[in-house]
Amino acid sequence: MTLLLSNNTPQLGLAARVRDAALALVYPADCRVCGRPIESWHDGVACAACWAEAQTTWQARALCAKCGAPLRDIPFPISAERTCGKCRDFVFTLARACGAYEGPLLESILWLKRQPTLAPRLRQWLCAVFDQHAVFGQCEAILPVPLHEARQAERSFNQAELLAAALAAHTGLRVDTASLMRVKPTARHRAGMGVNERAKSLRKAFRVRAPRLIAGRNVLVVDDVMTTGSTADEIARTLLDAGARSVNVLTLARAVSVFV
């Protein structure tokens, strides 16, 4: 990952100190994972050591070639097209996440749901995963997973739109917040809900209101967390029915307790 200039860099000097002082009001001083001091605003709500451990652990996992779920029976990465079997009927092409929904990513996402500020660490990880997969580079538009209007009003912002904006700045792709809408106020998924139960709760939850912006295009759907993949699958079905050529999915985190 690219390192940012330190606060001692002459060109930044005062600006860096002002930035860090301002961001100290946004981010906690101590790591929300281990409690140690956070040394850089770049890391958001977790310390560099916790981020390094999370990255190492995730990179050591074998992932489903299609949906990116961790494979339980293989302790190291593989190059073969091994799939988990649970995503066989999912209609998206590829789904990937930056890491597991635990430790620093879990705490960062919980924080992001309350504070609409994306730490540079999260932005860099998201863009790095995008760059690693050629199929993402073939996408022509970025669609953040929409909130229902009631949830949007309650929260006042959509964290998926922050992620989409970060990717757009990195790639030059268009962010499309007009085409897809959530028309069914689905309840928050409970721990322990299976794939079928989640899928049933999401049925017809989304609608494409601007098919002309979707037809014939390769689309990248962006969200903060993927759990079983049911939401991504329902969105992909909705977009493909509206004429999309393909749908891929990129999230900050992947829930691993469902699989391991």
Side-chain angles (χ1 to χ4, degrees):
M1 293 183 181
T2 302
L3 296 177
L4 301 183
L5 295 172
S6 70
N7 290 353
N8 296 324
T9 304
Q11 295 94 320
L12 294 183
L14 178 60
R17 291 196 293 273
V18 171
R19 175 202 65 198
D20 284 359
L23 286 169
L25 301 176
V26 178
Y27 294 123
D30 296 327
C31 176
R32 292 176 66 87
V33 180
C34 71
R36 289 180 293 221
I38 298 173
E39 297 180 351
S40 172
W41 69 278
H42 169 270
D43 293 326
V45 302
C47 69
C50 284
W51 282 115
E53 181 180 357
Q55 184 177 38
T56 300
T57 302
W58 184 250
Q59 289 177 344
R61 292 181 183 270
L63 304 179
C64 170
K66 180 177 179 178
C67 75
L71 301 175
R72 288 180 293 185
D73 57 338
I74 304 175
F76 51 86
I78 53 174
S79 58
E81 291 292 302
R82 179 71 184 275
T83 59
C84 66
K86 298 181 179 180
C87 62
R88 185 180 298 107
D89 296 326
F90 288 170
V91 297
F92 55 75
T93 302
L94 181 77
R96 284 295 181 269
C98 300
Y101 187 50
E102 57 190 18
L105 274 176
L106 184 152
E107 294 296 341
S108 295
I109 289 169
L110 293 178
W111 189 268
L112 183 61
K113 291 180 186 293
R114 301 190 299 270
Q115 298 280 349
T117 304
L118 193 64
R121 172 81 71 168
L122 296 178
R123 185 180 298 110
Q124 287 183 354
W125 278 26
L126 192 70
C127 294
V129 174
F130 178 96
D131 291 341
Q132 288 167 6
H133 298 282
V135 69
F136 292 160
Q138 297 170 8
C139 293
E140 301 161 87
I142 303 172
L143 269 67
V145 173
L147 296 173
H148 186 266
E149 58 182 6
R151 183 76 58 81
Q152 179 87 27
E154 174 188 330
R155 188 175 293 169
S156 78
F157 69 95
N158 180 358
Q159 68 275 10
E161 293 183 7
L162 299 179
L163 302 177
L167 278 175
H170 176 68
T171 63
L173 293 174
R174 173 177 59 89
V175 176
D176 181 355
T177 59
S179 296
L180 185 68
M181 61 186 299
R182 187 186 294 251
V183 294
K184 180 179 175 182
T186 53
R188 290 181 175 87
H189 286 155
R190 306 184 308 276
M193 286 180 71
V195 175
N196 292 336
E197 192 176 358
R198 287 176 185 268
K200 183 177 179 181
S201 72
L202 287 160
R203 199 162 296 145
K204 298 190 181 301
F206 301 94
R207 180 169 66 84
V208 173
R209 58 185 168 188
R212 61 184 175 78
L213 298 178
I214 296 298
R217 288 182 168 85
N218 300 310
V219 176
L220 179 66
V221 173
V222 174
D223 204 3
D224 53 359
V225 184
M226 178 185 283
T227 306
T228 64
S230 296
T231 299
D233 180 57
E234 182 64 26
I235 288 175
R237 290 178 186 279
T238 302
L239 293 172
L240 290 170
D241 286 346
R245 182 180 303 162
S246 70
V247 179
N248 294 279
V249 183
L250 177 56
T251 62
L252 271 181
R254 185 69 193 257
V256 298
S257 59
V258 179
F259 302 94
V260 297

